Amino acid sequence: MSLGIAEVAKIAHLARLAIRKEDAPAYAHNLSAILELVEQMNAVDTTGVTPMAHPLDMAQRLRMDVVSEANQRELFQAIAPRVEAGLYLVPKVIE
Amino acid sequence: MMEWETVIGLEIHAQLATKSKIFSGAAIAYGAEPNTQACAIDLGMPGVLPVLNQDAVRMAAMLGLAIGAQVAHRSVFARKNYFYPDLPKGYQISQYELPVVQGGHLTVDLEDGSSKVIGITRAHLEEDAGKSLHEDFQGLSGIDLNRAGTPLLEIVSEPEMRSAKEAVAYMKKLHQLVVYLGICDGNMQEGSFRCDANVSVRRKGAPQFGTRAEIKNLNSFRFVERAIDFEVERQIDLIESGHKVVQETRLYDPDKGETRSMRSKEEANDYRYFPDPDLLPLIVDEAFIEAARAALPELPDAKKQRFAEQYGLSGYDAGVLTVSRELAAFYETVVASLGSEPKLCANWVMGDFSAFLNKENREIADSPVNAEQLAGLLRRIQDRTISGKLAKDVFEAMWAGEGDADTVIEKRGLRQITDTSAIEKVIDDVMAASPDQLAQYRAGKDKLFGFFVGQVMKLSKGKANPQQVNDLLMEKLKG
Amino acid sequence: MHKKTIAQLSAGLAAGEFSSEALTRAFLERVERFNPQLNAFITLTAESALIQARAADERRRQGAAGPLTGVPIVHKDIFCTQGVRTSCGSRILDRFIAPYNATVVEKFNAAGAVMLGKTNMDEFAMGSSNETSFYGPVRNPWDLDAVPGGSSGGSAAAVAARLTPGATGTDTGGSIRQPAALCGITGIKPTYGRVSRWGMIAYASSLDQGGPMARTAEDCALLLAAMAGFDPRDSTCVDRPVPDYAALLDQPLTGLKVGLPKEYFGEGLDSAVAQVVEEAIAEYRRLGAEIVEISLPNSHLAIPAYYVVAPAECSSNLARIDGVRYGHRCENPKDLQDLYTRSRAEGFGAEVQRRILVGTFALSAGYYDAYYLKAQQIRRLISDDFRRAFDQVDVIMGPTSPTVAFNLGEKVDDPITMYLSDIYTIAVNLAGLPGLSLPVGFVGQRPVGLQLIGNYFAEDRLLNVAHRYQQVTDWHSRAPAAFA
Ligand SMILES: [Mg+2]
Ligand SMILES: [Zn+2]
């Protein structure tokens, strides 16, 4: 599948990546090449093959319902771009 | 209006009553300082990994068993990808294709006394998001991630409700159930039990559903009813005026009593679900299910039926008394303690006791009168120590902390007078003090009998046994 | 001292021939002297290294030293280190001071190992040449014009240049084995689930696995014993005892059944590399191994499947880095979308953005089945190929990489050609199997690696098979002249 500039823009928006106009053609070219590479998969009929999401055939382990984490807000917020009154600040969220 | 049919399906998020989060060991106490209950996992720090809370799974299984659903042997956690500041990882861990609870139903009692079975499609485990606070921080929003990672059970109904009232009845029934099961505290103000309503309308008899709108985050029964009613009317108006309903997410504004479009959620809701590679399939084996089954309490419907049969109560009384596990347990303790007269017990528990609780907005757990004490009061009615009327005063005194029934009766000298000679003495005094009335009565003015009863009760400060007063007066007034 | 292996250093420390402090100083001096040519480090932690070294010496005096107590190592900058920058080779985490340690780091700390610093890597482990790093490329100690391989290129170069006796790496599609091969050292990617991923910044969660890199299989055995084991904080970590790898190194290879997948010796393999690999296989024959040809018929689909699965997972894994709670935030975001899109576009490099976009596309509505689901089915076929192969043989052998190290800049503008350098390593990650690369010769100045692939949890066997070869050959003890 070959991706055009508009499609790249749509995917970039889903991925929240600001792609500069002048870079868009290169992305479209590279992404199309990668898709062409992966489409080699289509040569194989996989009807009835169980998808493998994980290399281990194991069950999810369960933890006991115990509070094990203490408050470390100061430590965590020491590396935050912007905080106030214990809150992370971002441009206004519109609902 | 008659030609339209409303179709409602509800997605209810019940916050599970665990101590720690669904995938981390952070606490989930409500109302903590912002971001003090968000650990590295809840914050979506790089390199952190989720591990599933066993109790969240147990609680989901309990709900599944209680609604007659299939508790899936194998279920899968997926990632629902979208960017939002209250969603730290950029995805919500939720169950998508294979939920842990599949199928099930709930029988709902409607206002007209009939009942209706509502199908439940599925219930799945997922994590809650944090909160955006819009108070002014120089025009910015503040993000509190304490709630992020709180375990939720999303319970999805079939689109089988046909009115806002049915929807509310279903929601109330489910609310009662999850609280009964002890898997949710049911606190709607704190958001522990909230509802998304999918609403559409169609002309009666139409084979297909109309286009639906999803109203998000309704956190009271009243709001659910009003929001649905508003939405139904809005949709009918749209169609009747030649417009189309668009599929969208809407928000209910309780101040204006209307729903409005939530534009932010509209654009590009391509969630790119895929199995979460940090989590393995959840395998729930028979032993786990049996342990969950063993932990099930008696369920509301069964309890109601048993109350009616065992205590000879009406369906209505049995329903009121089993509305919560606490009230039902309280009632049963009163009955057991008194040892008889379940109807008398029911009247008192549903009557004065509930009225006092409501008036003071108290929980049963912090009622000043416990079940044994209430039974102690009823025993004094039963053995005629006090009259039912005086018992109300005694109860009020007990509630005010004046001690148990016997103490109050003793302290206030309320013990009923049953000694015939003592009552006769009072009657003699009354007759001596009211010669005119006595003469009129004897002349045939029967109505004055009540006057004499009143005077005797007044003089005995209400303590004379009413039946004996009646009998003796009848005798003495004859002369 | 820098010429000694970990096993030798451990013995020297135990015998009191030198202190950990002296050893640490010696390596720090070498780093100081040689790193400017190699750019193998992102962060040096000289001060804390000396503190750890003195603590290790003290521990030894108290008689509580283990085999790694006082031994210097380096960590790939993908492992979170508390209080120390953990950049993952990216601008977006350039100022990220991790608030916790990765389990692997904790385990090495508990063993008393000394961390010299954090090594350079391809950004978020996406790359095969170390050229995608925000901190600039790493150079190959054997030839400074050549790449060291990637993504664990800094670790590989540091070990090869004797700036550290051992290192940690991670391997999602070959990121331990390929740089080990290109730098002439030994590295093992364990079975998926053998080593905890807690605190290891995720690229593709169902493929990532941490492992050791050192000069010899024996050293890898010592390091792996410290790294491996159950971790309650990682749901995908396996609760299974860790064998005494060092004690199992000397088992004879007589009767060992070695499979050579015919698909690994065909078109695309450099003929000079093929010749070196065949000589190594001949050596195994002399050691008593029985060599048979096998087939892994779906090998050619490994790269296509990988470039769906890995980008899909990474597109989701890297969504958390959004400029809200940590990491780079753009200047003066005009609204929320601007904050997200600009912070991420400024913070992530081109290759990372490419993979995020591919993954986003592969999971998006209408394409999921054709790409993501298809890739998961292919993954099953590839895994089944290996299952069948291990019914016949004990170990699979072949080249680690189709070529020796290529020149810096040679493939940087052509992602597809770059991807093909992992053609023999990627299938192992898709199946979750253990794989090891060991040095078996040179083409010109540049080293050649032999890849060993084992059955699930057969790390002990792989280390044993590599060790026996290293007992009778000396490729692993050669040093690049400029860093000898
Ligand atoms: Mg929903
Ligand atoms: Zn939900």
Side-chain angles (χ1 to χ4, degrees), chain A residues 1-3 7-20 23 26-63 68-69 72 75-83 87-94, chain C residues 82 95-97 99-100 192-193 206 230-232 234-238 298 300-301 303-305 307-308 313 323-327 329 333 335-337 339-342 344-345 348 350 353-354 356-358 360-361 364 367 370-371 373-381 383 413 415-416 419-420 429-432 456-457:
Chain A
M1 173 152 181
S2 161
L3 295 181
E7 283 148 317
V8 169
K10 197 181 140 226
I11 302 163
H13 175 67
L14 269 180
R16 297 297 185 274
L17 290 170
I19 289 193
R20 288 181 309 186
D23 294 339
Y27 273 109
H29 170 79
N30 281 321
L31 297 188
S32 300
I34 295 167
L35 291 181
E36 196 183 313
L37 171 77
V38 307
E39 280 156 10
Q40 289 173 24
M41 296 189 301
N42 296 340
V44 180
D45 180 9
T46 50
T47 317
V49 176
T50 313
M52 180 170 159
H54 220 273
L56 297 176
D57 190 17
M58 286 194 334
Q60 174 59 34
R61 186 156 32 79
L62 303 175
R63 46 170 267 274
S68 56
E69 301 298 316
Q72 295 191 78
L75 177 67
F76 294 144
Q77 295 196 339
I79 48 170
R82 194 160 173 197
V83 286
L87 298 162
Y88 295 97
L89 293 194
V90 296
K92 197 117 197 133
V93 177
I94 304 149
Chain C
Q82 190 166 7
R95 284 185 234 166
F96 180 72
I97 312 291
Y100 42 82
Y192 184 89
S206 78
F230 179 60
D231 181 2
D234 177 359
S235 299
T236 64
C237 190
V238 178
N298 293 292
H300 63 294
L301 296 173
I303 284 185
Y307 279 99
V308 172
E313 292 184 8
V324 174
R325 298 163 316 286
Y326 53 83
R329 180 183 284 202
D335 58 26
L336 192 58
Q337 294 316 315
L339 181 148
Y340 284 147
T341 59
R342 211 145 47 81
R344 287 165 57 80
F348 292 131
Q353 295 194 45
R354 265 198 292 273
I356 290 174
L357 292 170
V358 169
T360 302
F361 173 76
S364 67
Y367 299 104
Y371 291 90
L373 214 59
K374 182 81 182 181
Q376 301 286 41
Q377 291 177 310
I378 300 287
R379 188 174 186 181
R380 173 80 58 196
L381 296 180
S383 171
D413 293 323
I416 304 290
Y419 296 171
L420 295 178
N429 298 77
L430 290 170
Y456 295 98
F457 298 101

Side-chain angles (χ1 to χ4, degrees), chain C residues 41-113:
Chain C
F41 285 79
I42 289 174
T43 304
L44 262 179
T45 52
E47 228 171 280
S48 63
L50 290 168
I51 293 169
Q52 282 184 321
R54 284 189 285 267
D57 287 333
E58 180 55 36
R59 179 168 161 180
R60 192 169 294 284
R61 269 190 291 278
Q62 289 170 5
L68 295 179
T69 305
V71 173
I73 55 159
V74 296
H75 289 304
K76 184 177 182 178
D77 207 21
I78 199 169
F79 289 101
C80 286
T81 41
Q82 190 166 7
V84 177
R85 169 172 63 182
T86 301
S87 75
C88 224
S90 182
R91 180 185 179 200
I92 209 162
L93 293 182
D94 181 43
R95 284 185 234 166
F96 180 72
I97 312 291
Y100 42 82
N101 278 325
T103 297
V104 162
V105 172
E106 284 287 322
K107 282 177 174 270
F108 277 115
N109 286 349

Side-chain angles (χ1 to χ4, degrees), chain A residues 70-90, chain B residues 32-40 42-43 45 85 88 131 133 137 141-146, chain C residues 95-100 323-327 329:
Chain A
N71 171 27
Q72 295 191 78
R73 185 174 78 182
E74 240 159 85
L75 177 67
F76 294 144
Q77 295 196 339
I79 48 170
R82 194 160 173 197
V83 286
E84 196 177 304
L87 298 162
Y88 295 97
L89 293 194
V90 296
Chain B
E33 282 290 296
N35 292 309
T36 55
Q37 295 189 351
C39 72
D42 310 319
L43 292 172
M45 290 272 172
K131 277 179 183 161
L133 305 170
F137 298 99
S141 290
I143 307 297
D144 174 10
L145 297 169
N146 278 349
Chain C
R95 284 185 234 166
F96 180 72
I97 312 291
Y100 42 82
V324 174
R325 298 163 316 286
Y326 53 83
R329 180 183 284 202

Side-chain angles (χ1 to χ4, degrees), chain B residues 11 13 80 92 94 124 126-127 152-154 196 216:
Chain B
E11 292 171 18
H13 286 89
K80 179 182 182 180
Q92 179 197 30
S94 180
H124 63 256
E126 62 183 22
E127 57 179 345
L152 298 177
L153 190 61
E154 180 176 337
D196 300 340
K216 281 271 180 209

Side-chain angles (χ1 to χ4, degrees), chain C residues 98-435:
Chain C
Y100 42 82
N101 278 325
T103 297
V104 162
V105 172
E106 284 287 322
K107 282 177 174 270
F108 277 115
N109 286 349
V114 173
M115 180 178 86
L116 301 175
K118 309 284 299 284
T119 56
N120 204 342
M121 56 182 285
D122 277 299
E123 187 180 4
F124 286 103
M126 299 177 201
S128 308
S129 67
N130 226 297
E131 292 166 294
T132 71
S133 170
F134 171 63
Y135 302 92
V138 177
R139 286 167 189 275
N140 191 317
W142 293 95
D143 184 340
L144 295 177
D145 292 333
V147 301
S151 65
S152 311
S155 285
V159 171
R162 274 71 172 151
L163 308 189
T164 178
T168 56
T170 62
D171 190 315
T172 305
S175 283
I176 287 175
R177 290 159 289 159
Q178 186 255 17
L182 270 47
C183 288
I185 64 164
T186 307
I188 180 167
K189 178 206 98 76
T191 306
Y192 184 89
R194 181 72 285 186
V195 171
S196 167
R197 295 188 297 117
W198 171 267
M200 193 179 103
I201 298 177
Y203 159 21
S205 309
S206 78
L207 304 166
D208 296 342
Q209 188 63 195
M213 305 171 83
R215 299 218 306 271
T216 65
E218 183 183 23
D219 286 1
C220 284
L222 293 169
L223 295 173
L224 184 59
M227 291 175 89
F230 179 60
D231 181 2
R233 288 184 293 189
D234 177 359
S235 299
T236 64
C237 190
V238 178
D239 191 359
R240 182 184 169 115
V242 178
D244 184 348
Y245 297 119
L248 298 166
L249 287 171
D250 286 317
Q251 304 166 79
L253 302 188
T254 341
L256 179 80
K257 277 196 123 180
V258 173
L260 305 184
K262 62 176 187 224
E263 294 81 6
Y264 286 22
F265 292 88
E267 198 192 336
L269 177 61
D270 179 274
S271 59
V273 170
Q275 203 181 326
V276 172
V277 168
E278 269 150 28
E279 281 161 23
I281 288 161
E283 188 63 58
Y284 272 107
R285 212 174 259 122
R286 287 192 284 280
L287 284 165
E290 182 193 334
I291 315 287
V292 295
E293 189 188 88
I294 58 164
S295 175
L296 300 169
N298 293 292
S299 293
H300 63 294
L301 296 173
I303 284 185
Y306 176 90
Y307 279 99
V308 172
V309 173
E313 292 184 8
C314 97
S315 71
S316 177
N317 282 335
L318 297 188
R320 68 188 62 200
I321 310 180
D322 58 5
V324 174
R325 298 163 316 286
Y326 53 83
H328 173 73
R329 180 183 284 202
C330 64
E331 293 276 344
N332 304 316
K334 72 177 194 316
D335 58 26
L336 192 58
Q337 294 316 315
D338 189 40
L339 181 148
Y340 284 147
T341 59
R342 211 145 47 81
S343 301
R344 287 165 57 80
E346 290 169 4
F348 292 131
E351 180 61 23
V352 172
Q353 295 194 45
R354 265 198 292 273
R355 294 196 196 187
I356 290 174
L357 292 170
V358 169
T360 302
F361 173 76
L363 291 173
S364 67
Y367 299 104
Y368 180 88
D369 287 3
Y371 291 90
Y372 183 75
L373 214 59
K374 182 81 182 181
Q376 301 286 41
Q377 291 177 310
I378 300 287
R379 188 174 186 181
R380 173 80 58 196
L381 296 180
I382 288 167
S383 171
D384 288 347
D385 282 355
F386 281 114
R387 232 169 262 280
R388 274 189 291 272
F390 285 115
D391 287 343
Q392 296 174 52
V393 300
D394 304 309
V395 174
I396 294 169
M397 283 187 193
T400 305
S401 187
T403 66
V404 291
F406 43 91
N407 285 340
L408 280 155
E410 191 182 320
K411 300 183 180 177
V412 79
D413 293 323
D414 184 359
I416 304 290
T417 317
M418 185 75 91
Y419 296 171
L420 295 178
S421 58
D422 292 327
I423 193 161
Y424 305 131
T425 49
I426 272 178
V428 170
N429 298 77
L430 290 170
L433 293 164

